[in-house]
Amino acid sequence: MQQSFGIPRGLALAGCTATLLLAACGGGGGGGGTNTGNSGGGASATAADTTVGPITGFGSIIVNGVRFEDNAARVNDDSGNAISSSDLRLGMTVEIRGSIGDDGTGTASDISLFSELKGPLSNLDTTAGTFTVLGFTIVTDGATVYDDVSGLSALANGDFVEVYGVRSGSVVTASRIEKKDPTASADLKLRGQISNLNTGTTTFTLGTATVNYGSASVLPSLASLVDGAYVAVRSSSTPSGTSVQASRVQVIGNVPFSFDDGGKLEIHGAVSSFTSISSFVVSGITVDASNAVFLRGSAGDVTNGTLLEVEGPYSNGVLTATKAKFEDFSGVDEFELHGTVSNFVSLASFQVRGVTVDASGNVSFERGTAADVANGRSVEVEGSVQSGTDGSILVASKLKFEDVSGNGGSDDNGGSSGSDDNGGSSGSDDNGGSSGSGSGASGDDNSGSGSGGSSSAGGEFEFKGTVSSVSGNTLVVGGRTVTITSSTSFRRITQAQLVAGAFVEIKGTLQSDGSVVADRISLED
């Protein structure tokens, strides 16, 4: 999995050579520089990996199922301004550049934030869950996060909104919608791929919007405006229908994001231009998934409009997918927070990482009870987003206390990652200390992450790993046998969808022979 150029998107480009423009001036989805799909060097030992997608959790930041540590990351908005990682919110779309380990966690070096559209909405249809902004159709679903408005039904034609999400042509599936005050922030934004360029009338088309660039600042140059190029457009003028008078046009390049040729890339979006399983497009990137492991479906299910998350190496203009996961964007239990409880009022109202949480419903509590939730407690919360008074809140389905000594997690006694046979490198004895005797993330049978299991048979046990084989109700995960029973629950995947190559988290009971009887199996990427 992956990362992105977090180079300032508004970086001045004057004086950059073509090579430096790619390698040093960055580029990226928000328009910081021109990008041709590589950073000027082709495949190399320094080729970066890139993850592009909406934020689905914090602790530090979670995108496409990868939990990135962001303490040392440079973070920029799509105007090129440096911001704090604390300014990031659920549903915002980012590109992340960093490193990712076999245990599915990563370290971000650069985070670049970008939205797809900002402007007045029209054609609101609350029944269909759609509206339009600047000629683009916005589709909402169960995973859409709202801010400064309780939900779609609280919006009205003429409201000024900013939309983050997954774009396919002139359609954007919204991951976050923010209601804005146009008197305080009336600048318009739109992104897309140029068509119908007319240098005589100084216009081009984005989606179904007509953009006039005659009086705009065009970066890096007018010569970079060509049909097929991806651009980010700003305007300070009131639009006339779907006609926009641009004040700035930033040419991104011939692909919509920043990444290195020879690096890994993970993106998600709607399939388009499907000709075969070895040639289709996701979010503007050509994909060959002929040898991919498919999760939640099969290769035969892929067609235009299918929502997929794909990952694999990118080279010579093609992402060769090693994995492809079908997305339903239902938002059910898709969000995750790791942090300290604050602003506790009741189980129905407290915060973790600045996100309001409601844990008053049907919640599974681990390593504690509902009565233990209080300010200062370190917790992991999983759940779905639902409408609140001022925006979306996280309605918890699971809350696990992470600060319980002797049970792993984040206390001083526990190590969650291990490379020895027993899965714990941070503990003080041969069994990995108090935080893990589980082996096997992805990699060989004995390496990986035992993330907090008991070191004796019969106790609660958790670990993550890659499924290497499936036979009826028996799995092998990271070299460890896992048994499925009638009481085993599944999260983000069904038993029928389990295949070799899936990266999963197992929670269950450790047996004397080292196998695990699964209480729950969760898809992790």
Coordinates of all heavy atoms in Angstrom, one line a residue, residues 157-227:
N157 N -31.1 24.1 -2.4 CA -30.6 24.6 -3.7 C -30.1 26.0 -3.4 O -30.7 26.8 -2.7 CB -31.6 24.7 -4.8 CG -31.9 23.3 -5.3 OD1 -31.0 22.4 -5.4 ND2 -33.2 23.0 -5.7
G158 N -28.9 26.3 -3.9 CA -28.2 27.6 -3.7 C -27.2 27.6 -2.5 O -26.4 28.5 -2.5
D159 N -27.2 26.6 -1.7 CA -26.2 26.5 -0.6 C -24.9 26.3 -1.2 O -24.7 25.7 -2.3 CB -26.5 25.3 0.3 CG -27.7 25.6 1.3 OD1 -28.0 26.8 1.4 OD2 -28.2 24.6 1.9
F160 N -23.9 26.9 -0.5 CA -22.5 26.8 -1.0 C -21.8 25.7 -0.3 O -21.8 25.6 1.0 CB -21.8 28.1 -0.7 CG -20.6 28.4 -1.5 CD1 -20.7 28.9 -2.8 CD2 -19.3 28.2 -1.1 CE1 -19.6 29.2 -3.6 CE2 -18.2 28.5 -1.9 CZ -18.4 29.0 -3.1
V161 N -21.2 24.7 -1.0 CA -20.7 23.5 -0.4 C -19.3 23.2 -1.0 O -19.0 23.6 -2.1 CB -21.6 22.3 -0.6 CG1 -22.9 22.4 0.1 CG2 -21.8 22.0 -2.1
E162 N -18.5 22.5 -0.2 CA -17.3 21.9 -0.6 C -17.4 20.4 -0.6 O -17.8 19.9 0.4 CB -16.1 22.4 0.2 CG -14.7 21.9 -0.3 CD -13.5 22.7 0.3 OE1 -13.8 23.5 1.3 OE2 -12.4 22.6 -0.3
V163 N -17.0 19.8 -1.7 CA -17.2 18.3 -1.8 C -15.9 17.6 -2.0 O -15.0 17.9 -2.8 CB -18.1 18.0 -3.0 CG1 -18.3 16.5 -3.2 CG2 -19.4 18.7 -2.9
Y164 N -15.6 16.6 -1.1 CA -14.5 15.7 -1.2 C -15.0 14.4 -1.7 O -16.2 14.0 -1.4 CB -13.8 15.5 0.1 CG -13.2 16.7 0.7 CD1 -14.0 17.6 1.4 CD2 -11.9 17.0 0.6 CE1 -13.5 18.7 2.0 CE2 -11.3 18.1 1.2 CZ -12.1 19.0 1.9 OH -11.6 20.1 2.5
G165 N -14.3 13.6 -2.5 CA -14.8 12.3 -3.0 C -14.0 11.7 -4.1 O -12.9 12.1 -4.4
V166 N -14.6 10.7 -4.7 CA -14.1 9.9 -5.8 C -14.7 10.3 -7.1 O -16.0 10.3 -7.2 CB -14.3 8.4 -5.5 CG1 -13.9 7.6 -6.7 CG2 -13.6 8.0 -4.2
R167 N -13.9 10.8 -8.0 CA -14.5 11.3 -9.3 C -14.3 10.3 -10.4 O -13.3 9.7 -10.5 CB -13.7 12.6 -9.6 CG -14.1 13.2 -11.0 CD -13.6 14.6 -11.2 NE -12.2 14.8 -10.6 CZ -11.1 14.5 -11.3 NH1 -11.2 14.0 -12.5 NH2 -9.9 14.7 -10.7
S168 N -15.4 10.2 -11.2 CA -15.3 9.5 -12.5 C -16.0 10.3 -13.5 O -17.3 10.4 -13.5 CB -16.0 8.1 -12.3 OG -16.0 7.4 -13.5
G169 N -15.3 10.9 -14.4 CA -15.8 11.8 -15.4 C -16.5 13.0 -14.7 O -15.9 13.7 -14.0
S170 N -17.8 13.2 -15.0 CA -18.5 14.3 -14.4 C -19.3 13.9 -13.2 O -20.2 14.6 -12.7 CB -19.4 14.9 -15.4 OG -20.4 14.0 -15.9
V171 N -19.0 12.7 -12.6 CA -19.7 12.2 -11.4 C -18.8 12.1 -10.3 O -17.7 11.5 -10.4 CB -20.4 10.8 -11.7 CG1 -21.1 10.3 -10.4 CG2 -21.4 11.0 -12.8
V172 N -19.1 12.6 -9.1 CA -18.3 12.5 -7.9 C -19.1 11.8 -6.8 O -20.2 12.2 -6.5 CB -17.9 13.9 -7.4 CG1 -17.1 13.8 -6.1 CG2 -17.0 14.6 -8.4
T173 N -18.6 10.7 -6.3 CA -19.2 10.0 -5.1 C -18.6 10.7 -3.9 O -17.4 10.6 -3.6 CB -18.9 8.5 -5.1 OG1 -19.4 7.9 -6.4 CG2 -19.5 7.8 -3.9
A174 N -19.4 11.4 -3.2 CA -18.9 12.3 -2.1 C -18.6 11.5 -0.8 O -19.3 10.7 -0.3 CB -20.0 13.3 -1.7
S175 N -17.3 11.7 -0.4 CA -16.9 11.1 0.9 C -17.1 12.1 2.0 O -17.2 11.7 3.2 CB -15.5 10.7 0.8 OG -14.6 11.8 0.5
R176 N -17.1 13.4 1.7 CA -17.4 14.5 2.7 C -18.0 15.7 2.0 O -17.6 16.1 0.9 CB -16.1 14.9 3.4 CG -16.2 16.0 4.5 CD -14.9 16.3 5.1 NE -15.0 17.4 6.1 CZ -15.2 17.2 7.4 NH1 -15.3 16.0 7.8 NH2 -15.3 18.2 8.2
I177 N -19.0 16.3 2.7 CA -19.6 17.5 2.2 C -19.6 18.5 3.4 O -20.1 18.2 4.5 CB -21.1 17.2 1.8 CG1 -21.1 16.3 0.6 CG2 -21.8 18.5 1.4 CD1 -22.5 15.8 0.2
E178 N -19.1 19.7 3.1 CA -19.0 20.8 4.1 C -19.9 21.9 3.6 O -19.7 22.4 2.4 CB -17.6 21.2 4.3 CG -16.7 20.2 4.8 CD -15.2 20.7 5.0 OE1 -15.0 21.9 4.6 OE2 -14.4 19.9 5.5
K179 N -20.8 22.4 4.4 CA -21.5 23.6 4.1 C -20.7 24.8 4.4 O -20.1 24.9 5.5 CB -22.9 23.6 4.8 CG -23.8 24.8 4.4 CD -25.1 24.8 5.2 CE -26.0 25.9 4.8 NZ -27.3 25.9 5.5
K180 N -20.6 25.8 3.5 CA -19.7 26.9 3.6 C -20.5 28.2 3.6 O -21.6 28.3 3.1 CB -18.7 27.0 2.5 CG -17.7 25.8 2.4 CD -16.8 25.8 3.6 CE -15.8 24.7 3.5 NZ -14.8 24.7 4.6
D181 N -19.9 29.2 4.2 CA -20.5 30.6 4.2 C -19.9 31.3 3.0 O -18.7 31.6 3.0 CB -20.2 31.3 5.4 CG -20.7 32.8 5.4 OD1 -21.3 33.2 4.4 OD2 -20.5 33.5 6.4
P182 N -20.7 31.5 1.9 CA -20.1 32.1 0.7 C -19.6 33.5 0.9 O -18.7 33.9 0.1 CB -21.3 32.1 -0.3 CG -22.5 32.0 0.5 CD -22.1 31.3 1.8
T183 N -20.1 34.2 1.9 CA -19.5 35.6 2.1 C -18.2 35.5 2.7 O -17.4 36.5 2.6 CB -20.5 36.3 3.0 OG1 -20.5 35.7 4.3 CG2 -21.9 36.4 2.5
A184 N -17.8 34.4 3.4 CA -16.5 34.3 4.0 C -15.5 33.5 3.1 O -14.3 33.7 3.2 CB -16.6 33.6 5.3
S185 N -16.0 32.7 2.2 CA -15.2 31.8 1.4 C -15.9 31.5 0.1 O -16.4 30.4 -0.1 CB -14.8 30.5 2.2 OG -14.0 29.7 1.4
A186 N -15.9 32.5 -0.8 CA -16.7 32.3 -2.0 C -15.9 31.8 -3.2 O -16.4 31.7 -4.3 CB -17.4 33.7 -2.4
D187 N -14.6 31.5 -3.0 CA -13.9 31.0 -4.1 C -14.4 29.6 -4.6 O -14.8 28.8 -3.8 CB -12.4 30.9 -3.8 CG -12.1 29.9 -2.6 OD1 -12.8 30.1 -1.6 OD2 -11.3 29.0 -2.8
L188 N -14.4 29.5 -5.9 CA -14.9 28.2 -6.5 C -13.7 27.3 -6.8 O -12.6 27.8 -7.1 CB -15.6 28.5 -7.8 CG -16.8 29.6 -7.8 CD1 -17.3 29.7 -9.2 CD2 -17.9 29.2 -6.8
K189 N -14.0 26.0 -6.8 CA -13.0 25.0 -7.1 C -13.6 23.9 -8.0 O -14.8 23.6 -7.8 CB -12.4 24.3 -5.9 CG -11.7 25.1 -4.9 CD -11.2 24.1 -3.7 CE -10.7 24.8 -2.6 NZ -10.2 23.8 -1.5
L190 N -12.8 23.4 -8.9 CA -13.2 22.2 -9.7 C -12.0 21.6 -10.3 O -11.0 22.3 -10.5 CB -14.3 22.5 -10.7 CG -14.0 23.4 -11.9 CD1 -15.1 23.2 -13.0 CD2 -14.1 24.9 -11.5
R191 N -12.0 20.3 -10.4 CA -10.9 19.5 -10.9 C -11.4 18.6 -12.0 O -12.6 18.2 -12.0 CB -10.3 18.6 -9.8 CG -9.5 19.4 -8.7 CD -9.3 18.5 -7.5 NE -9.2 17.1 -7.7 CZ -8.0 16.5 -7.9 NH1 -6.9 17.2 -7.8 NH2 -7.9 15.2 -8.0
G192 N -10.5 18.2 -12.9 CA -11.0 17.2 -13.9 C -10.0 17.2 -15.1 O -8.9 17.7 -15.0
Q193 N -10.4 16.5 -16.1 CA -9.6 16.3 -17.3 C -10.1 17.2 -18.5 O -11.3 17.1 -18.8 CB -9.6 14.8 -17.7 CG -8.6 14.4 -18.8 CD -8.6 12.9 -19.0 OE1 -9.6 12.2 -18.7 NE2 -7.5 12.4 -19.5
I194 N -9.2 17.9 -19.0 CA -9.6 18.9 -20.1 C -10.1 18.2 -21.3 O -9.6 17.2 -21.8 CB -8.4 19.8 -20.5 CG1 -8.1 20.7 -19.4 CG2 -8.7 20.5 -21.8 CD1 -6.8 21.6 -19.7
S195 N -11.2 18.7 -21.9 CA -11.7 18.3 -23.2 C -12.2 19.5 -23.9 O -12.4 20.6 -23.3 CB -12.8 17.2 -23.1 OG -13.9 17.8 -22.5
N196 N -12.3 19.5 -25.2 CA -12.8 20.6 -26.0 C -12.1 21.9 -25.9 O -12.6 23.0 -25.8 CB -14.3 20.8 -25.7 CG -15.2 19.6 -25.9 OD1 -15.1 18.9 -26.9 ND2 -16.0 19.3 -24.9
L197 N -10.7 21.8 -25.8 CA -9.9 22.9 -25.6 C -10.0 23.8 -26.9 O -9.8 23.3 -28.0 CB -8.4 22.6 -25.4 CG -7.4 23.7 -25.3 CD1 -7.7 24.5 -24.1 CD2 -6.0 23.2 -25.3
N198 N -10.3 25.1 -26.7 CA -10.4 26.0 -27.8 C -9.6 27.3 -27.5 O -10.0 28.1 -26.7 CB -11.9 26.4 -28.0 CG -12.1 27.3 -29.3 OD1 -11.3 28.1 -29.6 ND2 -13.3 27.0 -29.9
T199 N -8.4 27.3 -28.1 CA -7.5 28.5 -27.8 C -8.0 29.8 -28.4 O -7.6 30.8 -27.9 CB -6.1 28.2 -28.4 OG1 -6.2 28.0 -29.8 CG2 -5.5 27.0 -27.7
G200 N -8.9 29.7 -29.3 CA -9.5 31.0 -29.9 C -10.5 31.6 -28.9 O -10.4 32.8 -28.7
T201 N -11.3 30.8 -28.3 CA -12.3 31.4 -27.3 C -11.7 31.3 -25.9 O -12.4 31.7 -24.9 CB -13.6 30.6 -27.4 OG1 -13.4 29.2 -27.1 CG2 -14.2 30.8 -28.7
T202 N -10.5 30.7 -25.7 CA -9.9 30.5 -24.4 C -10.8 29.7 -23.5 O -11.0 30.1 -22.3 CB -9.3 31.8 -23.8 OG1 -10.4 32.7 -23.5 CG2 -8.3 32.4 -24.6
T203 N -11.4 28.6 -23.9 CA -12.3 27.8 -23.1 C -11.9 26.4 -23.2 O -11.3 25.9 -24.2 CB -13.7 28.0 -23.5 OG1 -13.9 27.6 -24.9 CG2 -14.2 29.4 -23.4
F204 N -12.3 25.6 -22.2 CA -12.2 24.1 -22.3 C -13.3 23.6 -21.4 O -14.0 24.4 -20.7 CB -10.9 23.6 -21.8 CG -10.4 24.0 -20.4 CD1 -10.9 23.4 -19.3 CD2 -9.5 25.0 -20.3 CE1 -10.4 23.7 -18.0 CE2 -9.0 25.4 -19.0 CZ -9.5 24.8 -17.9
T205 N -13.5 22.3 -21.5 CA -14.6 21.7 -20.7 C -14.0 20.8 -19.6 O -13.1 20.0 -19.8 CB -15.5 20.8 -21.6 OG1 -16.1 21.6 -22.6 CG2 -16.6 20.1 -20.9
L206 N -14.6 20.9 -18.4 CA -14.4 19.9 -17.3 C -15.7 19.3 -16.9 O -16.6 20.0 -16.5 CB -13.8 20.6 -16.1 CG -12.3 21.2 -16.1 CD1 -11.9 21.7 -14.8 CD2 -11.4 20.1 -16.6
G207 N -15.8 18.0 -17.1 CA -17.1 17.4 -16.9 C -18.1 17.9 -17.9 O -17.9 17.8 -19.1
T208 N -19.1 18.6 -17.3 CA -20.1 19.3 -18.2 C -19.9 20.9 -18.0 O -20.8 21.6 -18.5 CB -21.5 18.9 -17.9 OG1 -21.8 19.2 -16.5 CG2 -21.7 17.4 -18.1
A209 N -18.9 21.3 -17.3 CA -18.7 22.7 -17.0 C -17.8 23.3 -18.1 O -16.9 22.7 -18.6 CB -18.1 23.0 -15.7
T210 N -18.1 24.6 -18.5 CA -17.3 25.3 -19.5 C -16.4 26.3 -18.7 O -16.9 27.1 -17.9 CB -18.1 26.0 -20.5 OG1 -18.9 25.1 -21.3 CG2 -17.2 26.8 -21.4
V211 N -15.1 26.2 -18.9 CA -14.2 27.0 -18.1 C -13.5 28.0 -19.1 O -13.0 27.6 -20.1 CB -13.1 26.2 -17.4 CG1 -12.1 27.1 -16.7 CG2 -13.7 25.2 -16.4
N212 N -13.6 29.3 -18.8 CA -12.9 30.3 -19.6 C -11.6 30.7 -18.8 O -11.7 31.2 -17.7 CB -13.8 31.6 -19.8 CG -13.2 32.6 -20.8 OD1 -12.1 32.9 -20.7 ND2 -14.0 33.0 -21.7
Y213 N -10.5 30.5 -19.5 CA -9.2 30.8 -18.8 C -8.5 32.0 -19.4 O -7.3 32.3 -19.1 CB -8.3 29.5 -19.0 CG -7.9 29.2 -20.4 CD1 -6.8 29.8 -21.0 CD2 -8.7 28.3 -21.2 CE1 -6.4 29.5 -22.3 CE2 -8.3 28.0 -22.5 CZ -7.2 28.6 -23.1 OH -6.8 28.3 -24.4
G214 N -9.2 32.8 -20.1 CA -8.6 34.0 -20.8 C -7.9 35.0 -19.9 O -6.9 35.5 -20.3
S215 N -8.5 35.2 -18.7 CA -7.8 36.1 -17.8 C -7.2 35.4 -16.6 O -6.9 36.0 -15.6 CB -8.9 37.1 -17.3 OG -10.0 36.4 -16.6
A216 N -7.0 34.1 -16.7 CA -6.5 33.3 -15.6 C -5.0 33.2 -15.6 O -4.3 33.3 -16.6 CB -7.1 31.9 -15.6
S217 N -4.4 33.0 -14.4 CA -3.0 32.6 -14.3 C -2.9 31.1 -14.5 O -3.6 30.3 -13.8 CB -2.5 32.9 -12.9 OG -1.3 32.4 -12.6
V218 N -2.1 30.7 -15.5 CA -2.0 29.3 -15.9 C -0.6 28.8 -15.6 O 0.4 29.4 -16.0 CB -2.3 29.1 -17.4 CG1 -2.2 27.6 -17.8 CG2 -3.7 29.6 -17.8
L219 N -0.6 27.8 -14.7 CA 0.7 27.2 -14.3 C 0.8 25.8 -14.7 O -0.2 25.0 -14.6 CB 0.8 27.3 -12.7 CG 0.8 28.7 -12.1 CD1 0.7 28.6 -10.6 CD2 2.0 29.5 -12.5
P220 N 2.0 25.4 -15.2 CA 3.2 26.2 -15.4 C 3.3 27.1 -16.6 O 4.0 28.1 -16.6 CB 4.3 25.1 -15.5 CG 3.6 24.0 -16.1 CD 2.2 24.0 -15.6
S221 N 2.4 26.9 -17.6 CA 2.4 27.7 -18.8 C 1.2 27.4 -19.6 O 0.5 26.4 -19.5 CB 3.7 27.5 -19.6 OG 3.6 26.2 -20.2
L222 N 0.8 28.4 -20.5 CA -0.3 28.1 -21.4 C 0.0 26.9 -22.3 O -1.0 26.2 -22.6 CB -0.5 29.4 -22.3 CG -1.3 30.5 -21.7 CD1 -1.2 31.7 -22.6 CD2 -2.7 30.1 -21.4
A223 N 1.2 26.6 -22.6 CA 1.6 25.5 -23.5 C 1.2 24.2 -22.8 O 1.1 23.2 -23.5 CB 3.1 25.5 -23.8
S224 N 1.1 24.2 -21.5 CA 0.8 22.9 -20.8 C -0.7 22.6 -20.9 O -1.1 21.5 -20.5 CB 1.2 23.0 -19.4 OG 0.6 24.0 -18.7
L225 N -1.5 23.5 -21.4 CA -3.0 23.2 -21.5 C -3.2 22.5 -22.8 O -3.0 23.0 -23.9 CB -3.8 24.6 -21.6 CG -4.1 25.3 -20.3 CD1 -4.9 26.6 -20.6 CD2 -4.8 24.4 -19.3
V226 N -3.6 21.2 -22.7 CA -3.9 20.3 -23.8 C -5.0 19.4 -23.5 O -5.3 19.2 -22.3 CB -2.6 19.5 -24.2 CG1 -1.5 20.3 -24.7 CG2 -2.2 18.6 -23.0
D227 N -5.8 19.0 -24.5 CA -6.8 18.1 -24.2 C -6.3 16.8 -23.6 O -5.2 16.3 -24.0 CB -7.5 17.7 -25.5 CG -8.6 18.7 -26.0 OD1 -9.1 19.3 -25.1 OD2 -8.8 18.8 -27.2

